């Protein structure tokens, strides 16, 4: 493994050196042994993972464009086999510690394993930019910042470090070119006694300026922008929050804001980061756990362990569009009838808390799907070394938009014996925007003015 290192000044205690992209010889494998985004093109030797054939781009019968709901193209498939408390040890090499803990604690829980479908499909312009990035994209400042020249594609289709994999995860093509909205995104909390609480219902907006190369006025340092408007509970109706993340967070930290109707003013919210609990998610999820990982990578050392095969949530059309709130939530875990598990290759990244840094977790492990850098699994350990939380994040392919959409997930808190189901938009569906919103529209004051009168 060869790296070219360009050394610069040391700024604010962070080395300014850049890790250059891979060699032309390595990059030449994109489109050959590797897909254009860097996944292994071929299937596995056992035949349980198929070769990549371009992803799912054809809508099945019954799909209504613009409805906000995507028909399950695999609804008639039957599981290959089932994993439960009686046989999980036979499959332990393909399970995370969180999955094993869930199976051990709940004898009635199971995982149905379905045939693997590599459905991820991206627009050609994103694929072309990903190939370009292989030899031109680089991280800066010890991996904490990303060169704006990487915009438009997967930054590191052939990642060499843990930071590179996590940058792929943070800027993945998840919301189309101009963003997605939901009119009713719900978060549910199930306590240790089995009681269900609707933590919040929100209207949301998410966009990835990282891919808006031809949108006038977009700051090239900006890569993600999010805001939400609370509808429920009634005592918090009308509250709004939002944040914007930048490619060099060492010089431009997350710009987060909040609005409370009672105070009638927008306030900066620098606390919306790291291990601050997210109130709208019942406190079961932290700000740097949004979408599995969100924010600056400075408190942990991210080590790229390698690639392995694991059972991960995938093609979860049933969970996203067919299982209603009463069906999907059970006393101690998500209803396994609503879940779909497939065998996929994943990147494994181990994050260890840096000496002298503070965080509620001491270690985290990420398992990220090689085709999307989004779907996968995540485990976190507390300061005593005990497994604290685990997340299962699955998605669906928006086959009419070339978007691997990955937001809805379950997170288990093993310390308190509770769990949460996050980003559930069953009642409102999802909308992919066909044109960009202007900077003027996305100013926090403009958002508050517009949303307050709806």
């Amino acid at each position: 493994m060869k790296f070219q290192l360009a050394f610069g000044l040391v700024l604010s205690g962070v080395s300014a050196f850049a890790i250059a992209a891979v060699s032309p010889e390595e990059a030449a494998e994109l489109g050959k042994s590797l897909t254009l985004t860097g996944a292994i093109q071929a299937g596995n030797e056992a035949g349980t993972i198929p070769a990549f054939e371009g992803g799912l781009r054809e809508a099945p019968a019954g799909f209504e464009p613009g409805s906000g709901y995507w028909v399950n193209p695999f609804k008639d498939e039957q599981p290959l086999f089932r994993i439960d408390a009686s046989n999980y040890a036979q499959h332990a090499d393909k399970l995370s510690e969180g999955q094993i803990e869930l199976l051990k604690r709940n004898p009635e829980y199971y995982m149905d394993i379905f045939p693997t479908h590599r459905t991820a499909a991206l627009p050609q312009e994103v694929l072309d930019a990903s190939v370009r990035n292989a030899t031109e994209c680089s991280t800066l400042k010890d991996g904490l910042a990303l060169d704006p020249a990487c915009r438009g594609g997967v930054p590191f289709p052939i990642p060499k470090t843990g930071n590179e994999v996590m940058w792929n995860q943070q800027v993945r093509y998840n919301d189309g070119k101009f963003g997605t909205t939901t009119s009713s995104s719900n978060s549910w909390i199930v306590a240790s006694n089995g009681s269900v609480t609707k933590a919040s219902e929100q209207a949301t907006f998410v966009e990835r300026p990282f891919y808006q190369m031809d949108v006038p006025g977009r700051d090239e340092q900006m890569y993600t922008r999010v805001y939400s408007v609370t509808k429920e509970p009634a005592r918090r109706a009308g509250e709004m929050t939002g944040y914007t993340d930048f490619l060099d967070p060492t010089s431009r930290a997350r710009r987060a804001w909040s609005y409370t109707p009672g105070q009638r003013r927008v306030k900066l919210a620098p606390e919306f980061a790291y291990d601050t609990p997210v109130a709208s998610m019942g406190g079961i999820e932290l700000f740097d756990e949004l979408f599995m990982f969100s924010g600056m990578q400075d408190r942990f050392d991210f080590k790229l362990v390698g690639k392995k095969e694991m059972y991960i949530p995938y093609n979860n059309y049933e969970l996203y569009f067919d299982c209603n709130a009463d069906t999907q939530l059970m006393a101690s875990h998500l209803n396994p009838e609503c879940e779909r598990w497939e065998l996929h290759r994943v990147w494994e990244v181990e994050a260890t808390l840096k000496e002298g840094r503070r965080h509620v977790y001491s270690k985290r492990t990420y398992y990220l799907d090689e085709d999307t850098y989004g779907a996968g699994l995540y485990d976190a350990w507390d300061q005593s070394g005990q497994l604290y939380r685990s997340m299962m994040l699955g998605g669906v392919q928006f086959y009419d938009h070339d978007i691997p959409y990955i937001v809805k997930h379950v997170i288990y808190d093993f310390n308190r014996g509770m769990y949460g189901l996050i980003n559930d938009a069953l009642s409102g569906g999802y909308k992919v925007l066909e044109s960009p919103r202007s900077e003027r529209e996305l100013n926090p004051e403009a958002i508050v003015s517009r949303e307050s009168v709806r």
Side-chain angles (χ1 to χ4, degrees):
M1 183 167 53
K2 297 181 179 180
F3 295 101
Q4 295 177 340
L5 303 181
F7 292 90
L9 298 175
V10 176
L11 303 174
S12 302
V14 179
S15 171
F17 77 77
I19 299 179
V22 300
S23 68
E25 291 75 21
E26 287 180 281
E29 290 304 311
L30 296 172
K32 297 179 182 176
S33 64
L34 302 176
T35 69
L36 297 180
T37 57
I40 297 173
Q41 180 80 41
N44 63 357
E45 188 173 335
T48 48
I49 296 177
F52 182 75
E53 297 181 348
L56 179 62
R57 300 177 186 271
E58 183 176 342
F63 170 64
E64 297 181 14
S67 66
Y69 299 86
W70 277 258
V71 172
N72 183 0
F74 311 115
K75 63 180 179 180
D76 296 327
E77 282 191 348
Q78 298 300 311
L80 301 171
F81 59 92
R82 176 173 292 182
I83 299 175
D84 57 24
S86 69
N87 66 351
Y88 74 84
Q90 302 171 28
H91 305 277
D93 62 325
K94 294 180 174 62
L95 299 172
S96 71
E97 292 200 32
Q99 289 171 306
I100 292 173
E101 184 69 18
L102 189 61
L103 289 162
K104 288 167 62 176
R105 289 191 180 204
N106 301 282
E108 77 286 356
Y109 181 71
Y110 59 86
M111 297 168 53
D112 277 341
I113 310 301
F114 286 82
T116 299
H117 297 281
R118 298 177 67 178
T119 48
L122 298 172
Q124 190 61 48
E125 63 183 289
V126 175
L127 298 175
D128 293 341
S130 302
V131 174
R132 175 207 67 200
N133 282 343
T135 54
E136 297 182 11
C137 183
S138 61
T139 58
L140 308 170
K141 300 184 178 180
D142 291 340
L144 300 184
L146 187 63
D147 189 336
C150 306
R151 292 177 66 211
V154 175
F156 305 103
I158 308 177
K160 299 293 185 180
T161 70
N163 293 114
E164 290 181 351
V165 173
M166 300 312 292
W167 273 116
N168 285 351
Q169 180 269 338
Q170 292 209 71
V171 304
R172 68 189 185 275
Y173 192 81
N174 190 77
D175 299 281
K177 188 171 183 179
F178 303 123
T180 56
T181 64
T182 59
S183 61
S184 177
S185 180
N186 305 292
S187 292
W188 306 89
I189 303 299
V190 182
S192 58
N193 64 1
S195 63
V196 178
T197 301
K198 188 178 184 178
S200 67
E201 179 180 340
Q202 299 177 310
T204 67
F205 167 82
V206 182
E207 71 163 0
R208 309 267 175 168
F210 189 80
Y211 293 94
Q212 297 173 358
M213 307 291 287
D214 55 357
V215 177
R218 286 296 191 259
D219 183 345
E220 70 171 10
Q221 278 286 335
M222 186 187 301
Y223 72 86
T224 295
R225 179 158 41 193
V226 178
Y227 75 79
S228 61
V229 183
T230 298
K231 297 181 175 182
E232 294 183 21
R235 68 181 184 278
R236 297 184 56 199
E239 290 183 2
M240 303 180 207
T241 59
Y243 68 83
T244 300
D245 280 334
F246 301 93
L247 295 176
D248 185 0
T250 67
S251 61
R252 295 178 69 183
R254 168 175 287 177
R255 187 174 185 270
W257 58 272
S258 65
Y259 170 81
T260 303
Q263 297 181 344
R264 302 189 68 178
R265 65 189 180 96
V266 176
K267 298 190 301 182
L268 292 178
E271 71 276 14
F272 288 1
Y274 298 115
D275 54 357
T276 299
V278 183
S280 62
M281 297 175 179
I284 198 170
E285 192 160 310
L286 311 179
F287 270 96
D288 67 0
E289 288 176 323
L290 295 172
F291 309 111
M292 197 172 293
F293 182 79
S294 171
M296 195 169 174
Q297 302 179 43
D298 61 328
R299 294 196 180 180
F300 288 79
D301 288 317
F302 291 86
K303 175 186 176 183
L304 178 55
V305 178
K307 192 176 282 189
K308 62 183 299 187
E309 295 179 4
M310 294 190 73
Y311 297 116
I312 63 175
Y314 219 91
N315 292 312
N316 301 116
Y317 292 91
E318 185 79 12
L319 178 62
Y320 272 66
F321 303 113
D322 295 320
C323 279
N324 61 33
D326 293 336
T327 303
Q328 60 193 349
L329 300 173
M330 300 184 74
S332 301
H333 50 76
L334 201 64
N335 186 346
E337 292 185 4
C338 299
E339 296 181 297
R340 179 187 174 101
W341 302 89
E342 296 182 5
L343 183 67
H344 286 261
R345 286 181 290 246
V346 299
W347 290 104
E348 180 180 0
V349 176
E350 185 178 280
T352 305
L353 186 64
K354 292 182 178 179
E355 186 175 354
R357 297 298 181 98
R358 188 204 62 77
H359 199 281
V360 67
Y361 300 140
S362 62
K363 189 180 77 169
R364 307 158 117 168
T365 302
Y366 301 87
Y367 304 98
L368 296 166
D369 166 44
E370 67 171 344
D371 289 323
T372 64
Y373 289 98
L377 308 166
Y378 155 67
D379 294 332
W381 288 260
D382 63 20
Q383 292 299 323
S384 65
Q386 296 297 309
L387 183 64
Y388 189 165
R389 289 189 176 121
S390 292
M391 181 185 295
M392 290 76 171
L393 174 58
V396 294
Q397 179 68 24
F398 286 176
Y399 29 73
D400 59 328
H401 287 284
D402 291 343
I403 300 173
Y405 193 68
I406 304 164
V407 296
K408 188 172 181 179
H409 60 276
V410 60
I411 183 167
Y412 291 94
D413 185 326
F414 293 118
N415 282 3
R416 293 184 288 176
M418 59 190 296
Y419 76 97
L421 181 63
I422 311 298
N423 297 332
D424 170 24
L426 273 169
S427 59
Y430 305 90
K431 180 180 179 181
V432 179
L433 301 185
E434 301 291 350
S435 60
R437 292 184 173 175
S438 68
E439 286 298 318
R440 182 177 179 179
E441 289 180 282
L442 293 171
N443 179 284
E445 286 76 12
I447 294 170
V448 170
S449 177
R450 180 177 66 250
E451 299 291 347
S452 294
V453 298
R454 290 192 179 181

